[in-house]
């Protein structure tokens, strides 16, 4: 055969090979699209802003006089852009805390030139969420950085230094990303650009001469990992390895020393979502001002620039105690990396944490022990408050000065009203906060029954409007006598009101209020007080006898209040103010030989950070391996007869406005089919599916605490922590209303927020999403926010229910199975459950709906409705029981005692569902839906099982009740019918498949033509 003939013979083979490769690639692309997109449709639709739409056919009973927009937006999309920017700037301005301002260095005049030191200056964030948004193509702070924000404010910025960090030889430095992939790993390296590098750059340090140096001190947080208690795994020298992430390392200190030695006035800008350790600043007298702003969000840097210029007067107050050493807190003795070993000493897959500190979290510890030192009681030891606490809860400076006076209390029934006159005695417009604290007597009964009492507990607060110099305002703060009660988990096993005197005090912060109480008790600085108090800012309410009955019943539901969580009590010795030193917490475990990769403090004699371990019996280990919900009901004894597919001519819109117990719900639920149960219970992640059998449209549910990630307008706010630092309830409610308006514009229905776990310690990786170390303050801000969003028809999933106060080992990654959390009932109720209860039992909102008019038609009407109808449970366990499958928590407390009928969803169960977040356990406990997709739904609803039907029917009832009374029903009315057009995700699948089929046909023709042409050539040759 000639060479030419050989080439022709090879052509069909090459053509076939190429065609087959392309066909395989096309088939692979189709397979990937069909495998990955359907299980993640809700998330994909949310990303593209497709909340799902419906085409509605209204019945003949409709008339133009009916308003079917049950929830209406207050603004247009264009108006929202301006409002959202202004709101975030306002939150930043009111939420920035001025911690120090010696010599009134701040604010600065226009034209002032700033030199921003520190690599973090070019990326002022505060948490990993913004990095994730950037990776998704959503700008974290559109067109705005410190340099541009300050320039626009009329300042000058040292461009030489800025460019060095931004694009020059300093650009390769900077903080590690913190938590990696939601906790699969961690990188908390600090990696600040060393002073020697700055010195080696010709003219760089000289460029800062004549400017005001601002050192930007940042730290990262991130979901899935907590800040390390030691830098053993993230630093390269023993000195820095022994430090925690809350301290400056040697490189940062070297730069700070340079600034201190070469400048008279330095500003420290603290950009971290934690109460950082700041005692070290005393060694740098040139640091005149300290500004604390955890994160800024979109356009928030404008607000920060306003604070520097004085266009805005900061009025933020701390929401946590800033301790000199965070590890001095009793909670720090049990936090981080603790692991069970079996009876043979082998590591199990389970982790634990023991809240031995009881109620003494944050200021409740620092202030209470301080009082006991002053009063010389409780074996308080040589505790020195002044060296322990740098800034107390509620602390914050202003550019002006205020005088609070004329303290008065009045009682009307069980409601106490405290009024305080606030006067601006300075020369700058500003706002102030009136903080009201209470102290309950610590009696012999309490000591005998282990009822602990904090010296001060926040019971209320109010913020002034803007006060001009010389202007005054009377601020009224109310609280309920019930807030004076304490939980007695050993004696009465309910809330009690002790006999004795109850002090009520106002103060500029928690410590100031306590000093006022001590002054009322006759104490002075000579007794060891840090400052003289003002007894005139206090009042006393007296109780004649121990009361164990008044608060033994929930006022709103009439249900008995008694112990529910004895199973979560480890039986340890809890910290008691009756004997501080004798009951001080110890590490609940022994130092092992396993190096901790979860940031434990250095605890080995060899300078290494190890995991703590303790043994667990085989019997207790079996409890961890089980799926026991602690439901006392015998599932095998249930005799419910399943009913599916009934033709009752009802749709979900018919249920709007009906009571949860209304009999019409039974008729609607009978219409469901088994597939509906399976879908709603096991695949409710990021939205609940359209259910045709009852006319339920698709409902889009989205994260996050900083703003809607989908189904909104795309704006990200500065965060929950900054909002809490405003101490402004009205602003928090307005924030919720704006989120609700975003949802009305973008289509989101459910919001995975607010999040209200407690800042048990500053180390938590999600403190940026949570409000405070104080449960009451958390509850006030969260309740206001959720109420605002609910007023626009959203259901807010308040989360994470409950005691999910650390990220380490929480349970959502490979090898994690839900950390076992141990505590006593008093701490659980008074601190960790308090904000959830405040949200659930908040005052009602107005629900709009239609009712029959008696003439065959309908009319608009309204009724009261709960502001919170959705709860997200947590990854962690209470004792050995997963919170999302815990009957005492969900059914006995949330549903029975608190009267909650809404939607209870799990936290993200994509990893946990196949391992420990069991859907059957969930519905047995009173939960409803798994935040997962069909891909991860390992449990299958058994349509013939009486138990599955019994618990499943309640679950879908909760879900449908919540959705029926949401904004999703806008445009619908009884008798209406609708069709749901294809979503973006569905269109993508169809498009991929259509294009794929066309490509396959073209490639087949391509191969066929090659063989056909070759065959013709062969015939000619022959």
């Amino acid at each position: 055969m000639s060479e030419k003939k050989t080439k022709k013979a090879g052509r069909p083979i090459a053509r076939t090979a190429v065609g087959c490769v392309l066909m395989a690639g096309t088939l692979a692309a189709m397979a990937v699209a069909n495998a990955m997109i359907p299980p993640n449709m809700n998330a994909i639709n949310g990303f593209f802003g497709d909340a799902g739409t419906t085409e509605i056919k209204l019945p003949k009973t409709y008339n133009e006089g009916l308003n079917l927009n049950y929830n209406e937006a207050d603004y247009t999309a264009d108006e929202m852009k301006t409002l959202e920017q202004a709101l975030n700037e306002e939150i930043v301005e009111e939420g920035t805390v001025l911690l120090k301002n010696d010599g009134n260095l701040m604010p600065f005049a226009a034209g002032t030139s700033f030199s921003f030191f520190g690599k973090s200056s070019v990326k002022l964030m505060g948490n990993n969420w913004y990095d994730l948004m950037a990776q998704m193509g959503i700008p974290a702070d559109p067109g705005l950085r410190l340099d541009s924000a300050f320039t626009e404010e009329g300042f000058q910025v040292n461009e030489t230094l800025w460019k060095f960090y931004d694009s020059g030889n300093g650009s390769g430095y900077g903080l590690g990303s913190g938590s990696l992939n939601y906790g699969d790993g961690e990188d908390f390296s600090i990696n600040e650009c060393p002073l020697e590098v700055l010195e080696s750059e010709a003219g760089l340090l000289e460029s800062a001469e004549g400017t005001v140096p601002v050192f930007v001190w940042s730290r990262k947080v991130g979901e899935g990992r907590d800040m390390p208690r030691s830098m053993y795994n993230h630093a390269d020298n023993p000195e820095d390895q022994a430090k925690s992430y809350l301290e400056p390392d040697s490189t940062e200190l070297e730069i700070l020393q340079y600034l201190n030695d070469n400048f008279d006035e330095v500003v420290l800008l603290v950009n971290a979502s934690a109460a950082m350790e700041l005692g070290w600043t005393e060694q740098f007298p040139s640091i005149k001002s300290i500004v604390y702003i955890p994160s800024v969000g979109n356009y928030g840097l404008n607000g920060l620039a306003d604070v520097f210029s004085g266009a805005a007067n900061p009025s933020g107050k701390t929401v946590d105690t800033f301790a000199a050493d965070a590890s001095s807190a009793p909670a720090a003795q049990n936090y981080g990396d603790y692991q069970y070993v079996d009876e043979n000493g082998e590591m199990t897959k389970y982790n634990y944490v023991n809240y031995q500190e009881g109620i003494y979290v944050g200021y409740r510890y620092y202030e209470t022990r301080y009082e006991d030192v002053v009063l010389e009681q409780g074996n308080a030891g040589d505790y020195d408050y002044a060296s322990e606490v740098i800034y107390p809860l509620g602390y914050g400076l202003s550019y002006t000065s205020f005088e609070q006076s004329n303290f008065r209390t009045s009682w009307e029934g069980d409601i106490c009203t405290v009024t305080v006159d606030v006067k601006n005695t300075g020369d700058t417009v500003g706002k102030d906060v009136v903080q009201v604290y209470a102290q309950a007597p610590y009696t012999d009964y309490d000591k005998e029954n282990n009822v602990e009492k904090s010296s001060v507990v926040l019971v209320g607060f109010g913020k002034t409007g803007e006060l001009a110099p010389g202007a005054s305002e009377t601020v009224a703060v109310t609280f309920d006598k019930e807030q004076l009660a304490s939980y007695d988990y050993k004696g009465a096993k309910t809330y009690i009101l002790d006999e004795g005197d109850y002090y009520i005090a106002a103060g500029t912060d928690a410590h100031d209020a306590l000093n006022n109480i001590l002054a009322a008790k006759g104490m002075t600085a000579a007794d060891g007080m840090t400052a003289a108090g003002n007894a005139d800012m206090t009042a006393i309410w007296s109780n004649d006898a121990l009361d164990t009955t008044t608060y033994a019943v929930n006022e709103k539901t009439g249900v008995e209040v008694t112990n529910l969580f004895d199973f979560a009590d480890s039986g340890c010795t809890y910290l008691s103010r009756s004997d501080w030193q004798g009951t001080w917490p110890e590490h609940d475990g022994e130092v092992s030989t396993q190096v901790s990769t979860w940031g434990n403090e250095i605890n080995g004699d060899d300078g290494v950070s190890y995991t703590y371990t303790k043994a667990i019996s085989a019997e207790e280990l079996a409890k961890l391996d089980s799926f026991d919900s602690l439901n006392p009901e015998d599932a095998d004894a249930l005799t419910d007869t399943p009913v599916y597919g009934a033709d009752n001519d009802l749709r979900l819109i018919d249920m709007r406005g009906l009571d949860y117990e209304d009999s019409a719900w039974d008729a609607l639920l009978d219409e469901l089919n088994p597939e509906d149960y399976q879908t709603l219970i096991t695949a409710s992640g990021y939205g609940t599916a359209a259910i045709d059998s009852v006319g339920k449209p698709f409902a889009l549910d989205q994260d996050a605490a900083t703003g809607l990630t989908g189904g909104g307008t795309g704006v990200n706010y500065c965060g929950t922590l900054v909002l809490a630092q405003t101490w402004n309830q009205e602003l928090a409610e307005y924030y919720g209303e704006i989120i609700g308006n975003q949802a009305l514009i973008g289509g989101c229905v459910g919001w995975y927020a607010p999040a209200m776990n407690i800042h048990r310690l500053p180390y938590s990786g999600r403190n940026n999403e949570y409000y405070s170390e104080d449960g009451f303050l958390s509850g006030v801000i969260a309740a206001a926010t959720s109420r605002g969003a609910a007023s626009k028809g959203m259901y807010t999933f308040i989360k994470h229910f409950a005691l999910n106060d650390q990220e380490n080992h929480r349970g959502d990654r490979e090898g994690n199975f839900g950390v076992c959390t141990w505590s006593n009932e008093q701490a659980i109720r008074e601190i960790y459950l308090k904000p959830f209860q405040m949200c659930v039992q908040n005052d009602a909102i107005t629900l709009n709906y239609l009712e029959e008019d008696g003439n065959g038609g309908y009319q608009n009407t309204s009724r009261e409705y709960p502001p919170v109808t959705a709860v997200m449970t947590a990854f962690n366990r209470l004792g050995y029981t997963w919170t999302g499958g815990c009957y005492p928590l969900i059914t006995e407390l949330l549903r029975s005692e608190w009267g909650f009928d809404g939607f209870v969803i799990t936290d993200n169960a994509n990893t946990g569902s196949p391992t420990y977040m069991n859907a059957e356990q969930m519905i047995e406990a009173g939960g409803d839906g798994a935040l997962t997709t069909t891909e991860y739904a390992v449990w299958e609803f058994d349509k013939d099982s009486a138990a599955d039907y019994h618990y499943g029917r309640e679950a879908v009832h909760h879900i449908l009740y919540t959705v029926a009374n949401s904004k999703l029903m806008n445009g619908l009315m009884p008798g209406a019918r609708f069709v749901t057009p294809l979503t973006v995700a569905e269109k993508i699948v169809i498009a991929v498949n259509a294009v794929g089929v066309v490509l396959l046909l073209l490639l087949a023709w391509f191969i066929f033509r090659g063989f056909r042409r070759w065959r013709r050539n062969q015939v000619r040759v022959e």
Side-chain angles (χ1 to χ4, degrees), residues 112-167:
T112 300
S113 182
F114 292 98
S115 292
F116 292 108
F117 282 84
K119 177 60 171 70
S120 295
S121 62
V122 300
K123 191 180 180 184
L124 198 68
M125 300 289 183
N127 62 55
N128 281 355
W129 179 250
Y130 298 109
D131 290 340
L132 178 62
M133 297 300 290
Q135 291 169 13
M136 294 170 64
I138 301 172
D141 213 346
L144 193 61
R145 303 189 304 180
L146 264 178
D147 60 338
S148 58
F150 274 59
T151 300
E152 291 173 11
E153 191 70 18
F155 295 127
Q156 297 180 39
V157 173
N158 180 346
E159 288 295 327
T160 301
L161 185 60
W162 182 271
K163 290 178 180 178
F164 169 80
Y165 285 117
D166 186 33
S167 57

Side-chain angles (χ1 to χ4, degrees), residues 8 11 1012-1022:
K8 287 185 177 181
R11 285 174 184 170
R1012 186 178 178 187
R1013 187 175 297 169
W1014 174 79
R1015 182 61 180 163
R1016 287 175 179 169
N1017 290 336
Q1018 289 291 94
V1019 170
R1020 291 192 190 117
V1021 170
E1022 291 172 359

Side-chain angles (χ1 to χ4, degrees), residues 4-157:
K4 187 174 182 180
K5 291 180 179 179
T6 302
K7 288 182 179 180
K8 287 185 177 181
R11 285 174 184 170
I13 299 175
R15 192 181 186 108
T16 301
V18 171
C20 288
V21 169
L22 292 174
M23 290 179 75
T26 302
L27 288 169
M30 294 171 65
V32 169
N34 284 273
M36 297 300 295
I37 294 176
N40 297 288
M41 278 192 175
N42 293 348
I44 294 169
N45 288 329
F47 177 78
F48 285 105
D50 184 356
T53 57
T54 55
E55 295 176 0
I56 301 169
K57 181 179 181 181
L58 295 174
K60 294 180 180 179
T61 50
Y62 171 75
N63 66 75
E64 293 183 356
L66 295 176
N67 183 2
L68 303 187
N69 289 321
Y70 307 111
N71 299 100
E72 298 185 83
D74 299 311
Y75 316 103
T76 66
D78 287 338
E79 291 171 335
M80 282 287 286
K81 293 177 182 178
T82 302
L83 287 168
E84 288 170 322
Q85 179 174 340
L87 173 58
N88 197 48
E89 290 178 12
E90 183 179 4
I91 295 172
V92 168
E93 291 167 359
E94 288 206 27
T96 297
V97 181
L98 183 62
L99 294 172
K100 182 179 181 180
N101 197 27
D102 288 356
N104 294 320
L105 173 63
M106 296 181 68
F108 294 97
T112 300
S113 182
F114 292 98
S115 292
F116 292 108
F117 282 84
K119 177 60 171 70
S120 295
S121 62
V122 300
K123 191 180 180 184
L124 198 68
M125 300 289 183
N127 62 55
N128 281 355
W129 179 250
Y130 298 109
D131 290 340
L132 178 62
M133 297 300 290
Q135 291 169 13
M136 294 170 64
I138 301 172
D141 213 346
L144 193 61
R145 303 189 304 180
L146 264 178
D147 60 338
S148 58
F150 274 59
T151 300
E152 291 173 11
E153 191 70 18
F155 295 127
Q156 297 180 39
V157 173

Side-chain angles (χ1 to χ4, degrees), residues 309-324:
S309 72
N313 189 347
S315 57
K317 306 291 182 181
T318 58
V319 294
D320 298 309
T321 303
F322 280 65

Side-chain angles (χ1 to χ4, degrees), residues 794-806:
M794 297 193 81
Y795 43 88
T796 60
F797 290 90
I798 58 175
K799 65 183 185 181
H800 306 89
F801 194 57
L803 281 79
N804 184 176
D805 308 300
Q806 73 173 47

Side-chain angles (χ1 to χ4, degrees), residues 392-438:
L393 177 95
Y395 176 86
L397 301 176
S398 170
Y399 294 149
T400 191
S401 56
F402 295 97
E403 177 186 75
Q404 296 189 8
S405 62
N406 197 19
F407 176 91
R408 305 174 300 283
T409 61
S410 61
W411 289 85
E412 185 174 341
D414 289 340
I415 302 300
C416 179
T417 299
V418 177
T419 55
V420 175
D421 293 343
V422 181
K423 182 178 181 179
N424 184 342
T425 57
D427 56 8
T428 303
V429 172
K431 295 183 178 183
D432 197 19
V433 177
V434 172
Q435 304 171 36
V436 178
Y437 296 83

